[in-house]
């Protein structure tokens, strides 16, 4: 479908070009690289990295931890459902709050909430692991 839509696009003929000079094939690549190292993109790279790590954690690492820590698989399904509901509801809540406290306020609040959530999850599992290991040792001795 995409290829068909590209075929319908009108191509530029030499007399329709805006500039008198012809662009080389490398010029768009050079422009893209120049834009990639600009200051504006540098600010976005941090946001992209944080978003990628956050999505990676909640969609894969957290689920694997839950599956390995809790023996019942019911917790795994419940965790997946809660993550989905949390993502949808937080998107709605933060979009409503954008109108009340502004974009900068929402960015600060979401950063604080995310950092707090990551810290609490790591602490909870670190505190839970010795208890679960002791329980497994007791069960293996019986």
């Amino acid at each position: 479908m995409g290829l068909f839509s590209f075929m319908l696009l009108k191509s530029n003929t030499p007399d329709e070009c805006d500039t008198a000079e012809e662009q080389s094939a490398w010029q768009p690549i050079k422009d893209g690289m120049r834009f990639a190292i600009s200051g504006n993109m540098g600010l976005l790279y941090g946001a992209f990295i944080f978003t990628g790590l956050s999505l990676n954690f909640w969609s894969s690492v957290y689920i694997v931890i839950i599956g390995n820590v809790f023996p019942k698989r019911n917790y795994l399904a419940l965790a997946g459902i809660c993550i989905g509901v949390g993502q949808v509801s937080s998107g709605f809540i933060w979009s409503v709050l954008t109108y009340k406290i502004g974009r900068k306020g929402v960015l600060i609040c979401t950063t604080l909430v995310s950092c707090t959530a990551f810290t609490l999850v790591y602490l909870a599992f670190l505190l839970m692991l010795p208890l679960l290991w002791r329980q497994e040792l007791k069960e293996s001795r019986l």
Side-chain angles (χ1 to χ4, degrees):
M1 188 70 176
L3 181 65
F4 179 70
S5 63
F6 277 124
M7 289 172 40
L8 292 177
L9 292 175
K10 183 180 173 186
S11 65
N12 289 340
T13 57
D15 58 340
E16 293 176 351
C17 289
D18 293 299
T19 61
E21 304 172 7
E22 287 187 29
Q23 278 190 343
S24 69
W26 291 101
Q27 190 61 38
I29 295 172
K30 290 178 185 176
D31 291 342
M33 294 304 283
R34 197 174 307 124
F35 181 67
I37 60 174
S38 69
N40 291 335
M41 280 303 292
L43 294 173
L44 286 175
Y45 289 145
F48 294 155
I49 290 169
F50 176 76
T51 303
L53 290 175
S54 176
L55 290 173
N56 181 32
F57 177 78
W58 291 114
S59 64
S60 61
V61 175
Y62 184 70
I63 299 294
V64 169
I65 291 173
I66 294 253
N68 288 332
V69 169
F70 295 109
K72 293 184 179 179
R73 298 294 176 196
N74 297 341
Y75 293 119
L76 190 63
L78 185 62
I81 291 169
C82 289
I83 288 171
V85 169
Q87 287 177 348
V88 171
S89 62
S90 68
F92 176 73
I93 290 169
W94 293 121
S95 65
V96 169
L97 284 177
T98 302
Y99 294 111
K100 294 186 179 188
I101 62 175
R103 190 181 305 167
K104 289 181 182 179
V106 167
L107 286 173
I108 291 170
C109 289
T110 53
T111 303
L112 292 174
V113 168
S114 295
C115 291
T116 304
F118 288 135
T119 305
L120 290 176
V121 165
Y122 282 124
L123 289 176
F125 283 119
L126 287 177
L127 294 174
M128 241 186 283
L129 282 176
L131 297 174
L132 291 170
W133 287 335
R134 283 189 214 135
Q135 183 180 5
E136 286 179 10
L137 284 174
K138 285 179 185 177
E139 291 174 359
S140 66
R141 290 180 186 169
L142 296 175

